[in-house]
Amino acid sequence: MTVVTALSIYLTLGAVAGTMAGVFGVGGGLIIVPVLVFAFGLQNVAPEIIMHLAIGTSLATILVTGSSSALGHLRRGSIHRAWFKALLPGLVLGAVAGVFVADNLSGTSLGTMFGIFVLLIATKMAFGLTPKPGSVAPGKWVMALAGGGIGGISALFGIGGGAMTVPLLSRCGASMTQAVGTAAAVGLPIALVGALVFVVVGWGNPLLPAWATGFVMWPAFFSIVVTSVPFARLGVKLAHVLPAYALRLSFALLLAVVGVRFLFS
C-alpha cells in the first residue's frame, strides 16, 4: 500500500468515525479500531501487533477528539465534578491495568474479546437495554471501583467509556445531560493514560511499522483527528433529521457484523 492510499484510508476513517459518533452518540473507538485493523492489515503490519496498534492509536485520537466535547459540556455546567473526582482514581488505575492485560494477550485473543464486546453493545442497542434511572449515588469507594472497571474495559478495547459511564450515572440519579457530559470528561483520563501506557509497553517492539511510537501510529492519529471533529458536527445534524429508531437498529446491525467478523477472523 502506498503512503497516499494509507493516508486516504485514515482520512476517510476519521470522517466516518466522526459522523457516526455524532449520529449515534457513541465514541468513535467502536468504529476506529475495526477499520484500523483492516487498514494495518493492508499495510502488512505484523498480525501479532495489529490489534494493539489499533487500540493504542484509537485511544490517542479519543484524547484529542473528546477534548472538544468535554470542554463544551464543562462550559455548560453539565459535568458532575464530584462524581468525576470520585471515578478518577479508578479510571486511571483501571486504564493502566487494561493496557497491561492487552499487552499480555495475543492479537487473536484480543480480537476475539473485542468481537464479543462489540456484540454485547450491538445487543444492548438493538433491544434498547438501558438500566432504570435511580436516585441514590453510591459511596466514593464504590464509585472508585466502578471507575476501575470502566477504565480497564475502555483501555482494553480502545474506547472512551461512554457506553458504561452513562448507564452508571443514570442509575446514580444524574440527568441525561449530566450523564453524557460527565461521560465525555471520563473519556479523557482513560485516553491519556491508556495511550501513554500503550506507547511505553510497545516501545522498541521489533514488529512495529515505520512512523509508530510504541503502539500509536502517528499518520493514522493525525489523519483521524483532522477529519473526525468537523464530521462529528455533521453527524449531530443528521441525528436530528433521521429517525432515531432506524438509526439505532442500523448501527446495532453494523456492530453485529463487525463483532462476528472479529470472532471468526
Side-chain angles (χ1 to χ4, degrees):
M1 180 189 291
T2 65
V3 174
V4 173
T5 303
L7 288 176
S8 298
I9 290 177
Y10 297 148
L11 289 167
T12 302
L13 168 59
V16 172
T19 301
M20 290 192 170
V23 170
F24 300 111
V26 298
L30 289 172
I31 302 300
I32 291 174
V33 171
V35 181
L36 281 180
V37 168
F38 171 74
F40 292 157
L42 292 179
Q43 293 178 267
N44 296 316
V45 173
E48 294 89 344
I49 65 166
I50 281 183
M51 278 299 300
H52 303 80
L53 194 60
I55 291 171
T57 304
S58 174
L59 288 170
T61 64
I62 290 171
L63 177 61
V64 177
T65 58
S67 296
S68 176
S69 173
L71 182 59
H73 285 292
L74 179 63
R75 288 172 175 169
R76 291 172 176 79
S78 53
I79 296 177
H80 197 300
R81 299 191 183 193
W83 289 352
F84 174 75
K85 290 178 180 178
L87 290 166
L88 187 57
L91 295 173
V92 172
L93 294 176
V96 173
V99 175
F100 277 102
V101 169
D103 186 49
N104 284 281
L105 291 172
S106 68
T108 301
S109 297
L110 190 53
T112 299
M113 292 176 64
F114 183 82
I116 293 171
F117 178 75
V118 170
L119 285 174
L120 291 174
I121 297 296
T123 302
K124 175 179 177 294
M125 292 192 70
F127 294 98
L129 302 177
T130 56
K132 295 180 180 179
S135 58
V136 180
K140 289 184 178 181
W141 283 105
V142 175
M143 291 289 273
L145 288 173
I150 292 169
I153 293 172
S154 300
L156 180 62
F157 297 128
I159 62 174
M164 295 168 284
T165 306
V166 172
L168 168 68
L169 297 185
S170 295
R171 287 287 294 171
C172 293
S175 66
M176 185 52 65
T177 300
Q178 276 188 324
V180 172
T182 308
V186 158
L188 298 185
I190 294 173
L192 174 61
V193 174
L196 286 176
V197 180
F198 263 113
V199 167
V200 171
V201 299
W203 192 274
N205 189 306
L207 299 177
L208 287 173
W211 303 104
T213 303
F215 290 132
V216 174
M217 184 68 157
W218 294 113
F221 166 79
F222 287 114
S223 300
I224 292 169
V225 167
V226 165
T227 53
S228 63
V229 173
F231 275 88
R233 296 169 185 155
L234 171 63
V236 171
K237 292 180 181 179
L238 291 175
H240 287 83
V241 176
L242 302 173
Y245 182 72
L247 283 175
R248 191 176 77 241
L249 285 184
S250 61
F251 189 57
L253 178 61
L254 173 63
L255 291 180
V257 171
V258 169
V260 170
R261 174 71 178 80
F262 272 86
L263 284 179
F264 295 99
S265 62

